[in-house]
Amino acid sequence: MMKIYRYTKLKLMLLLTSVVAITSCETDFDNPNAATDDQVFSSREGILAATIGMQQLYSTTGLRWIVETPAITAREGGITTTFQNMIELEDGGDIPNSNSNVVGLWSTMLRVVGIAEDIAENASAIDIDPGTQSGLVAYAKLYQAMSIGALAQSYEQVIVATSEDNPPFVSRIEGFNAAINLLNEAKAAISANPISGEFQSEILRGDIDLTNTIDAMLARFNLYAGNYEAAISAASAVDQTSGSVFTYDSQNLNPIWSRVYQNSAPNFKPRDNFGLPDSFTFDVNDGRFDFYLIPLDELNQNQLPIEDLAGFFDGDTESIPVYLPDEMNLIIAEANLRKATPDTGAAIAALNEVLTDTDDIFGVNANVPAYAGDTSVDALLDEVYKNRRAELFLTGSSLEDSRRFGRPQPTPSVQNFDEERNRNFYPYPNTERDNNTSTPADPSI
C-alpha cells in the first residue's frame, strides 16, 4: 500500500526542475525522464527541492483537508455547494469510505510522511554543511510530526511510518506520542548543529521560526496526548513575539480562500458564533468576531446561519500562520486545569493573556476584560473551550477540541444539524482498506 504514497508523490515532485508543486493526483505514470529516488536524494539540489515540495504539499493540498474537513463536521462552517463530498460531511452519520475529504486528508498526510522519511534518512549522506543537514533532518521530522498529529485528530487509529507494505496501525494517542518523539529528535538535531545560513535562506526564507514551531507543536501534541506538564513547559518556551507562516503566490494559492472565494459557488462559509451553540456567549466587543467574520445574515441550504470569511483567508495569496501565539496561552490554561492537581490561578492568568490581548503579532485580539466568572475547574474548562473555538477558528482543531472537552456526542445515523459535531472520527479510506490488510474496522460514529 505504501508504494502508492511514496512513489507517486516522488514522481510528481521530480517532474519539476526549479520549484516543486505537488498536486493530489492519484495516478502513477512511468516517466523515463524523471530522476530516480537515489538521484533526487543524493544531491544538494535534489534534497532541497524535495524539502520545498514537502512544505508546499502540506501547506496547500494538506492544509485544505486539515482545515475544511473538521470545520464542517464540528460546525465551524456550513456548506454552500452541491458537491457530494461536502454534503456527506455536513450530513454526518454514515460517511462513505470513498468521501474525497476523508481520502484526501489521509492520503496527503501519508504522502508528507513518506517525503519526510526520505529527507531525514538521506540528509546525512550528502556532502553539505552540517547545519544544512541538521536543518533538513529537523524540518522533515517537524512535517512528519505535524502530519501524524493531523491524522490522530481525525482518525481513531493511524499509521506513523510508510516504509513497509501493510504498515501497522497504532492508537491515536500512540500517534501523538510518536509525533512528540519526532519533534524531540528535531530539537536535538538543531541543538547539536545549529541550522546554517544556507538552510535559512533556501528553505525557511524568513517565514518559519523553526525552534519556536517545534516547541509549539510539542505543546500542542503533548496536550492532546495528556502529557500536561510537558505541554506547559513547551508552550512556555515559545516566544510569542515571533511567528511562523505558510506563504502563497499566484501558483500556490491560499487553500481556504480557494474553497470559500475562488468560485462563484463557494464550497463553505463560516458559521455564526464560531459554530458554537447560543449557550456560549461572548463579550459584544470581542475583536475576534471582526477579525474572522463578516456578517451576512444568511442561511445555507440546511438552514444553518453563515457569514463571510475574513482573517487569514480573504486573499488569494494571504499567509496563514503555522500556529497562533495565543494557542500557547490556551494550552497552558487547559493543561493546568487537567493535571493531577489543578492550578486554577495559573489557568486564569493564562486565559487572561488571551482575553485582554491587544498586541497579537497576527492581529487576533479579543481585547475584552479579564475573566470574572465561576472559578471552578469545569467552568474554566468551558471558558477555555469557548476561547479556543474563537481564537483558533479554522485551524483544524475544532473536532479534536469538541471530543476532548466532552461536548455532546453525535447521534449515529440521524441527521441533526443542531448537533455540535456529527461524527467522532472518520472512517478509514477505501484506498487504504483495499490495499492494507492491517486496516481496522471503521468507528461507528
Side-chain angles (χ1 to χ4, degrees):
M1 173 58 180
M2 292 304 101
K3 291 184 175 65
I4 292 176
Y5 302 130
R6 294 176 68 81
Y7 299 138
T8 298
K9 50 87 178 170
L10 278 176
K11 287 184 179 179
L12 287 166
M13 180 171 62
L14 297 171
L15 289 173
L16 301 175
T17 57
S18 59
V19 78
V20 181
I22 304 179
T23 70
S24 58
C25 176
E26 296 287 346
T27 307
D28 187 4
F29 295 109
D30 289 329
N31 179 0
N33 297 315
T36 66
D37 298 352
D38 289 342
Q39 288 171 329
V40 74
F41 290 112
S42 63
S43 70
R44 172 191 177 278
E45 292 73 17
I47 201 165
L48 291 177
T51 304
I52 294 169
M54 173 187 68
Q55 175 179 280
Q56 288 183 344
L57 176 60
Y58 184 95
S59 65
T60 54
T61 305
L63 206 61
R64 171 206 164 168
W65 304 123
I66 289 169
V67 171
E68 176 184 276
T69 308
I72 305 304
T73 299
R75 307 309 195 194
E76 284 180 298
I79 67 166
T80 51
T81 181
T82 57
F83 288 136
Q84 189 62 31
N85 63 309
M86 301 298 283
I87 292 171
E88 290 164 354
L89 282 180
E90 187 157 277
D91 287 352
D94 296 326
I95 296 177
N97 302 76
S98 58
N99 177 278
S100 60
N101 281 70
V102 169
V103 175
L105 177 58
W106 181 267
S107 61
T108 305
M109 292 302 98
L110 286 182
R111 283 179 183 162
V112 175
V113 169
I115 300 172
E117 289 171 333
D118 286 334
I119 293 168
E121 180 181 345
N122 288 279
S124 61
I126 301 175
D127 185 17
I128 51 178
D129 186 291
T132 301
Q133 289 179 341
S134 65
L136 288 167
V137 169
Y139 208 53
K141 289 180 182 291
L142 169 64
Y143 276 83
Q144 185 176 354
M146 291 194 299
S147 299
I148 292 169
L151 291 175
Q153 291 176 68
S154 292
Y155 299 90
E156 204 169 29
Q157 298 184 50
V158 299
I159 291 169
V160 299
T162 70
S163 56
E164 59 183 288
D165 291 335
N166 293 314
F169 281 67
V170 300
S171 73
R172 56 189 298 273
I173 298 301
E174 290 176 281
F176 287 133
N177 282 318
I180 291 163
N181 289 338
L182 287 163
L183 292 165
N184 282 325
E185 291 169 2
K187 197 168 183 176
I190 57 176
S191 177
N193 284 299
I195 55 178
S196 65
E198 175 186 48
F199 186 79
Q200 288 275 12
S201 62
E202 294 285 338
I203 303 298
L204 303 183
R205 302 179 181 182
D207 299 323
I208 302 292
D209 182 325
L210 185 54
T211 299
N212 274 305
T213 302
I214 291 169
D215 280 331
M217 295 303 142
L218 278 168
R220 179 184 295 177
F221 297 140
N222 271 300
L223 176 71
Y224 293 169
N227 307 322
Y228 300 126
E229 294 293 354
I232 293 168
S233 177
S236 299
V238 175
D239 177 2
Q240 294 188 26
T241 66
S242 176
S244 293
V245 295
F246 296 123
T247 59
Y248 302 96
D249 56 33
S250 60
Q251 300 302 309
N252 299 279
L253 301 177
N254 179 307
I256 310 307
W257 175 88
S258 299
R259 302 295 287 169
V260 175
Y261 286 108
Q262 188 170 27
N263 301 313
S264 57
N267 289 273
F268 74 94
K269 290 194 174 185
R271 294 276 307 275
D272 287 357
N273 208 42
F274 304 109
L276 291 169
D278 292 339
S279 57
F280 285 97
T281 59
F282 291 84
D283 187 299
V284 294
N285 296 313
D286 193 313
R288 293 169 296 190
F289 282 97
D290 286 342
F291 183 85
Y292 282 116
L293 303 174
I294 302 171
L296 271 183
D297 295 323
E298 291 183 8
L299 302 176
N300 78 344
Q301 56 262 52
N302 289 319
Q303 302 303 300
L304 302 175
I306 55 174
E307 310 273 21
D308 255 339
L309 182 60
F312 306 109
F313 316 113
D314 58 356
D316 59 352
T317 60
E318 189 157 3
S319 298
I320 298 176
V322 181
Y323 64 91
L324 285 166
D326 269 330
E327 180 184 357
M328 301 303 107
N329 293 319
L330 290 165
I331 287 171
I332 291 168
E334 182 182 345
N336 271 295
L337 294 170
R338 293 193 188 278
K339 64 185 185 179
T341 303
D343 186 341
T344 56
I348 292 170
L351 180 60
N352 283 337
E353 291 290 329
V354 180
L355 293 172
T356 63
D357 199 357
T358 61
D359 59 355
D360 180 85
I361 60 172
F362 295 112
V364 188
N365 295 307
N367 191 19
V368 296
Y371 183 72
D374 185 342
T375 58
S376 68
V377 169
D378 287 345
L380 287 167
L381 282 171
D382 282 347
E383 187 70 13
V384 170
Y385 175 65
K386 180 182 80 172
N387 279 279
R388 283 185 65 88
R389 288 292 294 258
E391 191 79 21
L392 309 182
F393 189 59
L394 294 181
T395 60
S397 63
S398 55
L399 180 57
E400 170 67 33
D401 287 355
S402 182
R403 286 191 313 263
R404 194 174 69 259
F405 282 86
R407 301 306 302 165
Q409 290 270 355
T411 306
S413 303
V414 174
Q415 188 181 85
N416 180 358
F417 296 116
D418 290 329
E419 289 185 318
E420 292 186 38
R421 66 177 185 271
N422 61 33
R423 280 198 70 91
N424 288 331
F425 297 100
Y426 297 113
Y428 302 104
N430 54 4
T431 51
E432 188 70 42
R433 187 172 302 285
D434 291 346
N435 293 278
N436 184 354
T437 57
S438 301
T439 309
D442 290 332
S444 59
I445 188 68

